[in-house]
Amino acid sequence: MANLEADVAHEAVRQFLDGHFATLESLELIGDLLNDEESTHAQLEKDLDNASHATEALRDEATDISQSLHAKALALIDLHSEVVGASTDESVSAWQFRDGTETMDLVADLAAKLESYGKLSCAKTYIDTLLEVEQARQSARQSLSKSPQGMLSAYRKLFDILAAHCSGGSAEPLTSGSATSDYSADGPPQPSNLLEHIKQSVLEIWNEANKAAASAQSQSLSSLGWPAKMDLSSSAAVGAFDSSFSTLASLDHITRAASDTLARCGLSLRADDAPPLPLEHMARAVDIRMRYHFESARTTSRADKPEWWLSQVLGMLRNIVTFLESHVQRLVDGTTLPRVDARNEFIRLVLPVVQRKLAHDRSEYIRGGLAIAHVVHELADFEHTLRDVFFYDGPSVLDQFLADSDLFAAWVEAERANAVESYMQTIAEPNPFELIYDDDMLGADDAKPSRLAEKVVLVTEDVAERYAVVPSCMRRLQLLSTAQFPILIALVEDIEGEIDEFSRISLAFIRDAGIANAVTTKPTTAAQSPLVSQLARLTSWYQTIWYVEEAADDWNNSANYVDLWAAVCQRAVALGRNTDPRDWRMDCDEWSDTDRVLLDEPARQTLVNDDWLDGGIWQRAIGTLRELKQRTLDLISRAINKDVVGQLRAYRKKSSWDAGDIDASDDTNISIELSGLLPELSSVLAALATMVPFRAFVLLLRQLETELDTFLVERVALAHSFSPIGGQQFARDVDALSQLFCSSASRGTTKKSKQCMLLRSRECSRILACCMDSTTAPAADDIPLSLGEWGPTVTSLDASDRETELLLKKLGISRLSVKEVRSLVVQRIDFERIMGV
């Protein structure tokens, strides 16, 4: 036992010396320290002597009162015996005196003495307690900077005194001026002002001890370079830090151990979930630096530069993380405090600094609007570094920042206003649908964006990029609905308005221009053609829609939007009631916490609708764009067809098909009515080939070919009588047109076939140009039999349609009906003469 006490004493001496003489220079202060100790010791002896005299006086007074009461009690007993012995009447009580005046006076005096004794006893206890509290306070204060162990002992003594006087008492705080008393369960009544005095003493010593120990730790950390790059080369500085850390840990432990007592007395010093006290004070150095640089009037305090202060926090963590993981973690593990990860706990203590800075700049964020997006990106990068580099696993600062509904609403409104403004500025510019890239910059089959299309795509993608880091699907969907979809809706409405206006006015102009061109023999170039300028306008709309549609299709398959689609599908499954996930925008402005849970929590149910798996968040927008693109393409086709058919009006009215004086010396000439159309049509088709992708161009060409084929069959071949020379002229015209179409469709390929287009018209030309008798050898592509050989069979009423169809099939005629073939044969004027004969 003696050895144990000696070890404790030696340890106390060692800690005293380490705390006061950490360096050689501090030994020069030993004289002053000894003088202070002697003065303190003399003052304590004087206070103790005064207290002893006061206690002795009270004790003597209480002894005298006790002896007096004892004597009077003996006299009362003697009187009682005398009365009982003299009485012979059994009906007379043993305490019924003949003359009770003297006895009652004695009892009253005895009661008064007893009351005085009780008061004196309570006063003695009161004074003894005050002396204990005062001695503990003085001891703690005198030991704050000199003897941490002495301070902790005095602090612990105060808790013992508080526990002794607060057992079973009221937990409500009492005012120091109250005159009421607290009665303990197993002790004399305690004046309430005494309990308040003890509680106040505990609070004062806690604050003073906490402040002194924190100051000592701060000084030692400063000497190590905290919170900048740590320098652990000084063993004295490291030892001073270890000592202050131990003191704070012990202070925290004593406070936590007395939590029940503090709760009973209505006193709160530390929260139950409070972090270790040493780590809490270590984080304050970061707090002070951040306040100085970024929450003051200094130029570094800028709300639009969150990267400045976030990088500062990360830089400080990089400087100190090794010290936290090794040295501080070892100190934490050596205490009796709850086991914590020093690195993770310290980061958790630093994050309120970040939250306070965000709250400090909140009003500027709300005014700035889009500045919130910048802050969100920087916070996302900050948290990514915390979790991936420093392995932080605590709550998210970004989630807490976006939980501010007013701030998030300001961001959404700013995104919407910015997107609308960008769109309106672009569409208000001259020629917003003008294509901005040449063919050599993009492939022939690539969508060529107009200025408006590129702006729509860029604005939409910029908004998506800004909110891509937002962890909540619900918030991302709200931004999508408010800031992105309205831009596409505006684009569709504007193009629809342009198309409606074009349909109402321009087509009439095209028809009139086509008629005027049809009566002229001078060909016009593509640049001169009004049709080309109108097609350029139409195809610019087509390219705009196509470009945005392809972008939306890419968005629909990107990871960000796939996640959003999965979220709305999951919500639809949870809500049931035949909910269609494609209708998610209908009530997104009214989503509640229930919707947030359904959208943000991981999927728990399997999607049962296969159609949803093939859909996407942009599915309806893509469908709308495709419908509008098809409508534009139909309008292009309609414009070309009407222009070409209009220019063929003179050709349709040509009346010389049955004449026999057509110049047959040159079998390469085409009808004069087509001489102006073919060059212009070739130029138009060449220009159109550069305006739309090849797939769309071929589709337009097929539609024009079908329209022209029908026109030539129904309005020319079947509407006129033909001589053999007229039939040959018609065949040359059809060949020229077919060659034009095939050349346009081949797109520069070497293999060209003039028989790939106008197939019904070609069959008509073969019939109309067929030789009448077998004396004339047929051309390579003509019918192998003469008209005189097969014509009567076709026109005979006795021949069945089945027999006629088989015959025509052998002749290579399969696209014309039997009725049409009969009509063509009959319209051969030479066939009519032969049949007439």
Side-chain angles (χ1 to χ4, degrees):
M1 183 66 180
N3 292 336
L4 179 60
E5 292 177 352
D7 291 341
V8 173
H10 291 161
E11 178 64 19
V13 171
R14 187 187 66 78
Q15 292 182 355
F16 177 82
L17 293 176
D18 289 342
H20 293 85
F21 307 110
T23 62
L24 293 176
E25 290 79 1
S26 60
L27 293 175
E28 297 177 359
L29 304 176
I30 191 170
D32 296 338
L33 180 60
L34 291 174
N35 292 334
D36 292 340
E37 289 293 334
E38 290 177 356
S39 299
T40 301
H41 183 68
Q43 181 63 37
L44 288 174
E45 287 185 344
K46 182 179 179 181
D47 293 342
L48 182 60
D49 186 59
N50 292 336
S52 299
H53 284 90
T55 303
E56 188 65 29
L58 288 172
R59 187 180 294 109
D60 293 341
E61 183 179 357
T63 301
D64 293 340
I65 294 174
S66 177
Q67 291 176 354
S68 174
L69 288 173
H70 182 68
K72 290 187 177 183
L74 292 176
L76 182 60
I77 292 172
D78 292 341
L79 179 59
H80 173 267
S81 300
E82 180 182 350
V83 171
V84 172
S87 176
T88 57
D89 189 353
E90 294 181 358
S91 64
V92 178
S93 171
W95 287 96
Q96 187 175 0
F97 306 125
R98 291 185 298 272
D99 185 4
T101 302
E102 182 178 356
T103 304
M104 293 306 296
D105 290 342
L106 178 61
V107 172
D109 185 52
L110 179 61
K113 295 295 184 181
L114 287 173
E115 183 179 0
S116 299
Y117 178 77
K119 290 180 178 181
L120 288 173
S121 177
C122 183
K124 179 178 179 299
T125 303
Y126 189 100
I127 293 173
D128 289 342
T129 302
L130 287 177
L131 287 174
E132 286 185 298
V133 171
E134 189 62 28
Q135 288 175 357
R137 291 177 63 177
Q138 291 296 330
S139 176
R141 285 173 175 167
Q142 292 169 3
S143 304
L144 284 176
S145 59
K146 302 174 183 179
S147 176
Q149 293 299 322
M151 179 270 295
L152 294 173
S153 298
Y155 184 58
R156 188 179 289 107
K157 178 64 176 175
L158 280 173
F159 275 115
D160 293 339
I161 297 172
L162 181 64
H165 290 78
C166 195
S167 57
S170 173
E172 295 295 330
L174 301 174
T175 60
S176 58
S178 175
T180 60
S181 298
D182 263 339
Y183 287 84
S184 65
D186 26 318
Q190 304 295 330
S192 60
N193 53 3
L194 175 61
L195 179 60
E196 285 300 310
H197 177 71
I198 299 172
K199 290 163 59 177
Q200 186 63 31
S201 298
V202 170
L203 183 59
E204 289 177 1
I205 295 304
W206 156 257
N207 290 331
E208 293 175 6
N210 186 21
K211 182 178 179 181
S215 177
Q217 185 187 65
S218 177
Q219 292 176 6
S220 62
L221 283 173
S222 297
S223 62
L224 294 174
W226 182 274
K229 190 173 182 180
M230 304 293 291
D231 180 10
L232 305 179
S233 60
S234 174
S235 58
V238 174
F241 168 74
D242 292 350
S243 177
S244 60
F245 190 96
S246 176
T247 301
L248 284 170
S250 299
L251 190 66
D252 194 6
H253 172 69
I254 295 171
T255 306
R256 292 175 187 270
S259 59
D260 292 340
T261 300
L262 291 172
R264 288 198 307 270
C265 297
L267 188 63
S268 177
L269 301 181
R270 299 275 290 160
D272 294 338
D273 58 346
L277 190 60
L279 292 179
E280 189 175 309
H281 286 298
M282 290 175 70
R284 288 181 180 173
V286 178
D287 187 9
I288 293 171
R289 177 170 291 195
M290 293 296 294
R291 285 179 185 271
Y292 176 76
H293 289 288
F294 303 107
E295 296 181 40
S296 61
R298 298 178 65 85
T299 56
T300 52
S301 180
R302 292 180 54 177
D304 62 332
K305 296 292 183 181
E307 62 272 19
W308 286 3
W309 52 273
L310 289 173
S311 62
Q312 184 73 12
V313 173
L314 293 177
M316 286 186 285
L317 288 176
R318 290 188 184 95
N319 290 330
I320 64 179
V321 66
T322 303
F323 181 68
L324 289 170
E325 291 176 338
S326 57
H327 194 83
V328 175
Q329 187 64 59
R330 178 176 56 81
L331 294 178
V332 171
D333 294 342
T335 66
T336 56
L337 296 176
R339 176 70 172 84
V340 296
D341 183 343
R343 179 197 62 252
N344 195 70
E345 189 66 21
F346 183 81
I347 294 175
R348 192 176 69 85
L349 290 170
V350 169
L351 289 185
V353 178
V354 176
Q355 293 171 340
R356 190 185 65 243
K357 171 61 177 172
L358 293 173
H360 178 270
D361 296 335
R362 178 179 181 273
S363 59
E364 294 191 43
Y365 294 153
I366 292 178
R367 287 195 299 270
L370 286 181
I372 300 173
H374 180 49
V375 177
V376 167
H377 261 271
E378 293 299 329
L379 282 177
D381 292 342
F382 174 75
E383 284 199 0
H384 178 76
T385 304
L386 288 183
R387 299 188 188 279
D388 290 358
V389 177
F390 300 110
F391 307 105
Y392 172 67
D393 60 357
S396 169
V397 178
L398 179 57
D399 281 344
Q400 295 175 6
F401 179 70
L402 293 176
D404 187 334
S405 58
D406 293 337
L407 188 138
F408 182 72
W411 181 19
V412 172
E413 175 58 24
E415 291 286 5
R416 185 202 64 79
N418 180 70
V420 170
E421 181 182 5
S422 298
Y423 179 84
M424 296 304 296
Q425 287 178 350
T426 304
I427 202 170
E429 295 175 355
N431 302 321
F433 293 99
E434 182 181 2
L435 303 183
I436 57 178
Y437 296 120
D438 297 331
D439 292 340
D440 55 353
M441 297 183 65
L442 294 172
D445 294 328
D446 293 332
K448 300 175 180 62
S450 63
R451 288 206 299 267
L452 184 61
E454 187 175 54
K455 177 60 69 174
V456 168
V457 171
L458 288 177
V459 167
T460 305
E461 291 180 347
D462 286 346
V463 174
E465 183 179 359
R466 283 193 288 270
Y467 71 67
V469 297
V470 175
S472 169
C473 286
M474 186 184 80
R475 294 192 177 96
R476 279 186 282 161
L477 286 167
Q478 289 171 335
L479 280 161
L480 170 64
S481 174
T482 306
Q484 291 178 286
F485 275 144
I487 301 302
L488 265 69
I489 293 173
L491 175 68
V492 170
E493 291 176 348
D494 286 335
I495 293 180
E496 285 180 339
E498 294 282 348
I499 290 176
D500 292 341
E501 183 69 13
F502 183 90
S503 300
R504 187 173 64 87
I505 298 175
S506 298
L507 286 181
F509 170 75
I510 291 175
R511 286 197 298 271
D512 295 341
I515 294 171
N517 290 335
V519 299
T520 64
T521 59
K522 183 179 179 180
T524 59
T525 64
Q528 296 171 332
S529 172
L531 175 63
V532 173
S533 61
Q534 296 298 332
L535 291 179
R537 185 180 177 191
L538 288 168
T539 54
S540 68
W541 300 338
Y542 179 88
Q543 293 279 7
T544 296
I545 302 166
W546 182 31
Y547 184 80
V548 177
E549 179 209 340
E550 286 199 339
D553 195 53
D554 292 339
W555 300 336
N556 206 43
N557 296 317
S558 64
N560 179 30
Y561 295 111
V562 168
D563 291 343
L564 295 183
W565 177 247
V568 297
C569 289
Q570 183 65 30
R571 175 177 175 269
V573 171
L575 293 178
R577 303 189 303 275
N578 297 322
T579 305
D580 190 337
R582 292 170 296 184
D583 297 331
W584 64 271
R585 290 191 65 225
M586 296 178 60
D587 60 346
C588 70
D589 294 336
E590 302 174 0
W591 281 345
S592 61
D593 288 339
T594 302
D595 296 293
R596 181 188 59 78
V597 172
L598 294 177
L599 291 166
D600 292 347
E601 287 192 352
R604 298 177 181 175
Q605 296 174 323
T606 303
L607 298 182
V608 295
N609 193 328
D610 293 338
D611 294 337
W612 295 358
L613 299 176
D614 297 331
I617 209 74
W618 292 95
Q619 181 181 7
R620 284 189 170 174
I622 293 172
T624 301
L625 290 169
R626 284 177 179 168
E627 291 175 1
L628 187 59
K629 185 177 71 171
Q630 184 60 47
R631 182 184 174 191
T632 308
L633 195 65
D634 292 342
L635 193 59
I636 294 173
S637 176
R638 180 184 173 193
I640 298 174
N641 295 349
K642 284 188 174 293
D643 182 81
V644 173
V645 170
Q647 293 192 58
L648 287 173
R649 178 174 298 182
Y651 186 76
R652 176 176 63 84
K653 293 182 178 181
K654 182 178 179 180
S655 59
S656 60
W657 297 112
D658 56 352
D661 57 350
I662 300 176
D663 186 8
S665 61
D666 186 1
D667 59 0
T668 62
N669 287 339
I670 61 173
S671 298
I672 190 172
E673 291 83 0
L674 293 181
S675 60
L677 171 65
L678 292 182
E680 181 177 354
L681 181 58
S682 177
S683 300
V684 169
L685 293 178
L688 182 63
T690 64
M691 296 178 186
V692 294
F694 181 68
R695 184 173 49 197
F697 175 74
V698 170
L699 180 61
L700 292 171
L701 202 61
R702 285 292 184 186
Q703 292 175 345
L704 176 60
E705 182 265 344
T706 301
E707 181 79 13
L708 191 56
D709 197 22
T710 302
F711 176 87
L712 292 173
V713 172
E714 296 179 358
R715 309 295 296 275
V716 179
L718 294 175
H720 297 278
S721 297
F722 284 82
S723 65
I725 296 176
Q728 294 171 7
Q729 181 66 54
F730 181 74
R732 288 195 296 271
D733 294 341
V734 172
D735 285 344
L737 289 170
S738 180
Q739 184 65 39
L740 174 62
F741 280 113
C742 292
S743 299
S744 300
S746 64
R747 269 278 180 96
T749 59
T750 58
K751 184 178 180 180
K752 298 180 181 179
S753 174
K754 62 181 181 180
Q755 299 187 20
C756 63
M757 296 287 184
L758 303 175
L759 298 179
R760 295 181 70 235
S761 299
R762 181 167 294 283
E763 290 184 357
C764 289
S765 67
R766 293 175 67 198
I767 294 174
L768 296 174
C770 182
C771 57
M772 180 56 64
D773 54 48
S774 59
T775 59
T776 304
D781 58 343
D782 285 347
I783 298 175
L785 299 178
S786 65
L787 183 61
E789 294 174 318
W790 63 271
T793 303
V794 171
T795 58
S796 174
L797 298 177
D798 297 332
S800 66
D801 289 345
R802 179 61 179 167
E803 293 175 350
T804 305
E805 289 175 357
L806 292 175
L807 173 61
L808 293 176
K809 187 175 181 181
K810 291 180 181 180
L811 297 175
I813 300 173
S814 59
R815 288 175 174 81
L816 295 175
S817 66
V818 173
K819 182 179 179 181
E820 290 172 335
V821 173
R822 286 173 178 169
S823 178
L824 289 171
V825 172
V826 170
Q827 289 173 197
R828 281 282 298 269
I829 58 174
D830 53 346
F831 183 79
E832 292 178 353
R833 288 196 297 269
I834 294 175
M835 295 302 294
V837 173

